[in-house]
Amino acid sequence: MKSKSLVSIDQCSEEDILRILENAAGFEKNPNRTLLEGKVAATLFFEPSTRTRLSFEAAVNRLGGRVIGFQDASTTSSSKGETLKDTILMVSNYADLIIMRHHLEGAARYAAEVSGIPIINAGDGANQHPSQTLLDLYSIRKTQGKLTGLTITIVGDLKYGRTVHSLIVGMSHFKPTFHFVAPDELRMPDEQKNLCDKLHLPYTEHTCFTEEIINRTDILYMTRVQRERFTDLEEYERVKNVYILRNDMLKGSRENLRILHPLPRVNEIAYDVDDNPKAYFIQQARNGLFTRQAIICEVLGINS
Ligand code: CP
């Protein structure tokens, strides 16, 4: 990568992505090494998280480093009015790396500009979630044996879902065909569709989630409707349960189909799907540990 921070997946060339996935595969074989001995990582989570924070922290711990940080900004001096810039400058005094989630789009980019140490964007508003994309690509390659030429169907909140926005960019190197399934209120934004047009990547938009679409799919990427991004909660109530994947909808699906979800799920995957061998979302979250170990080493310039 050209930058020492990972702010957006569009910083990563195809070569960068493949290198990180190779290194992640090495960490899957052997996740416990002392590559971060003497290093301190700071996890600054201004928004809630389960998987991203804990898998990053587990990644640092398993590599022999130490973690400082917070998961509730109300316990920090930002609640007294300290600016993000001052917070980042302070934490830069104490740590070798900052992993940050923030509700404002662009917060990670700004942090990377003012910070003296690398920043990893753990999600900024509805904008980007690059470490999620790398673990998604790792999961796709692991289950399909390749990244190129796959049909990817993305379902749910395509407007506010930052994992979706990053996934389009990450997959764009690998000649995908996309199906976008969303209600009109939550359609894929023009920015991502314009990228597909520019790169001649075929995509079709749907408002109905049908078995006919599922049966043409290699990767079914379900997403949650992002309640926290809605200014009008009545609109959220109208769309929150619009698509629910049930096990009986998978009976005509391809053998290689795998169901991914960045999680947390709310109602969009029924529990009867969990025992289907095509359900992969729990293993997908596990892959986050290995992928994040590779990302941490990448931004710190540590050979793994
Ligand atoms: N996928 C994801 O970002 O999950 P968390 O919000 O639990 O970190």
Side-chain angles (χ1 to χ4, degrees):
M1 288 191 305
K2 289 197 180 90
S3 166
K4 62 185 173 134
S5 293
L6 178 61
V7 168
S8 169
I9 194 68
D10 56 20
Q11 286 170 241
C12 293
S13 65
E14 179 180 341
E15 190 185 345
D16 292 332
I17 290 171
L18 294 175
R19 182 179 60 255
I20 291 168
L21 300 194
E22 275 312 307
N23 291 338
F27 283 117
E28 182 168 7
K29 288 194 191 100
N30 181 9
N32 299 314
R33 303 187 215 166
T34 51
L35 295 168
L36 293 186
E37 205 164 13
K39 302 272 188 218
V40 175
T43 51
L44 312 186
F45 276 67
F46 293 86
E47 267 194 343
S49 167
T50 296
R51 279 146 292 274
T52 309
R53 185 176 65 81
L54 293 178
S55 61
F56 265 121
E57 293 188 356
V60 174
N61 281 310
R62 285 182 180 278
L63 294 177
R66 281 164 292 170
V67 177
I68 60 171
F70 57 82
Q71 51 182 307
D72 178 0
S74 70
T75 65
T76 73
S77 288
S78 66
S79 67
K80 303 176 200 161
E82 186 160 61
T83 62
L84 179 60
K85 178 178 180 180
D86 283 355
T87 302
I88 295 295
L89 291 176
M90 287 311 106
V91 178
S92 298
N93 286 331
Y94 312 138
D96 301 289
L97 165 70
I98 292 173
I99 299 155
M100 185 179 84
R101 172 170 288 187
H102 203 282
H103 48 275
L104 287 179
E105 294 182 20
R109 187 168 301 285
Y110 176 71
E113 280 167 14
V114 300
S115 172
I117 61 175
I119 302 284
I120 297 177
N121 181 6
D124 60 329
N127 186 32
Q128 281 271 324
H129 196 344
S131 68
Q132 178 72 45
T133 298
L134 288 162
L135 81 86
D136 291 343
L137 296 183
Y138 185 81
S139 301
I140 292 169
R141 192 170 78 156
K142 193 170 170 194
T143 60
Q144 305 297 312
K146 62 178 185 176
L147 284 168
T148 302
L150 298 169
T151 298
I152 315 256
T153 296
I154 309 178
V155 182
D157 185 348
L158 310 191
K159 178 179 178 184
Y160 295 118
R162 57 191 171 203
T163 68
V164 167
H165 302 157
S166 292
L167 183 64
I168 303 288
V169 179
M171 278 306 300
S172 69
H173 299 283
F174 304 104
K175 299 185 174 54
T177 297
F178 288 120
H179 292 280
F180 301 145
V181 184
D184 282 332
E185 298 91 327
L186 300 177
R187 286 173 64 169
M188 186 67 79
D190 286 343
E191 184 182 340
Q192 283 73 32
K193 289 189 286 187
N194 289 343
L195 176 72
C196 292
D197 290 335
K198 189 173 139 202
L199 299 176
H200 307 292
L201 302 177
Y203 67 87
T204 312
E205 294 187 274
H206 312 263
T207 52
C208 287
F209 181 35
T210 64
E211 290 177 37
E212 194 271 328
I213 301 169
I214 294 172
N215 295 349
R216 286 187 279 154
T217 295
D218 300 308
I219 291 291
L220 181 57
Y221 196 94
M222 300 296 297
T223 67
R224 167 181 74 94
V225 177
Q226 308 262 308
R227 183 179 188 276
E228 64 275 31
R229 311 275 176 233
F230 281 74
T231 45
D232 176 356
L233 282 184
E234 279 183 22
E235 189 182 354
Y236 170 74
E237 290 297 326
R238 271 198 306 279
V239 296
K240 68 178 185 187
N241 289 327
V242 66
Y243 307 122
I244 298 176
L245 178 67
R246 297 180 318 275
N247 197 39
D248 62 9
M249 296 167 74
L250 298 168
K251 55 185 181 292
S253 62
R254 293 177 174 173
E255 208 46 51
N256 64 307
L257 175 84
R258 290 295 177 274
I259 302 150
L260 271 57
H261 190 312
L263 304 176
R265 90 174 121 176
V266 184
N267 284 326
E268 56 282 352
I269 301 180
Y271 281 94
D272 68 357
V273 175
D274 291 16
D275 293 331
N276 191 312
K278 295 176 183 176
Y280 194 73
F281 31 91
I282 303 300
Q283 297 96 316
Q284 177 189 1
R286 174 178 160 77
N287 292 337
L289 170 62
F290 317 123
T291 311
R292 288 176 170 130
Q293 288 183 307
I295 293 168
I296 290 167
C297 289
E298 178 83 16
V299 299
L300 290 175
I302 294 170
N303 284 329
S304 56

